[in-house]
Amino acid sequence: MKNTAENFNVTDRKTFIEFLDLLRKDFISNPENWENKTLPEFLEALSSYAEDIQGYYDNMKLNKNADIPDWSIFADIFKGAKIYE
């Protein structure tokens, strides 16, 4: 299976950098899948999703604590900001 930003496993700083490159490529190739297409919109969604991500983890029963950040949580916040309203 081809790696995409959605299925890419972020485990450390190196894989987070790779994830960001995949996310950039996704924006260029599939802008129709992005709710937040401008930098101000994306940054607003990034802030809101960072605030709300614990609710996502709880609802999905992922047993993650967003107050103990790691590289995968940063990636989840970026993925969420892509579509978060």
Side-chain angles (χ1 to χ4, degrees), residues 8-65:
F8 192 76
N9 186 27
V10 174
T11 58
D12 54 21
R13 187 175 62 88
K14 181 180 180 289
T15 56
F16 181 71
I17 293 166
E18 292 174 44
F19 160 78
L20 288 176
D21 189 49
L22 289 170
L23 196 65
R24 180 187 59 79
K25 289 175 182 173
D26 181 67
F27 180 77
I28 292 168
S29 300
N30 306 296
E32 68 280 359
N33 295 335
W34 285 65
E35 179 69 31
N36 303 299
K37 293 178 174 73
T38 68
L39 184 57
E41 290 172 343
F42 186 77
L43 290 173
E44 181 179 2
L46 196 63
S47 174
S48 295
Y49 200 70
E51 185 176 342
D52 296 343
I53 196 165
Q54 188 62 56
Y56 167 76
Y57 290 145
D58 294 345
N59 289 337
M60 300 301 290
K61 298 181 180 10
L62 294 176
N63 197 29
K64 275 190 168 184
N65 182 347

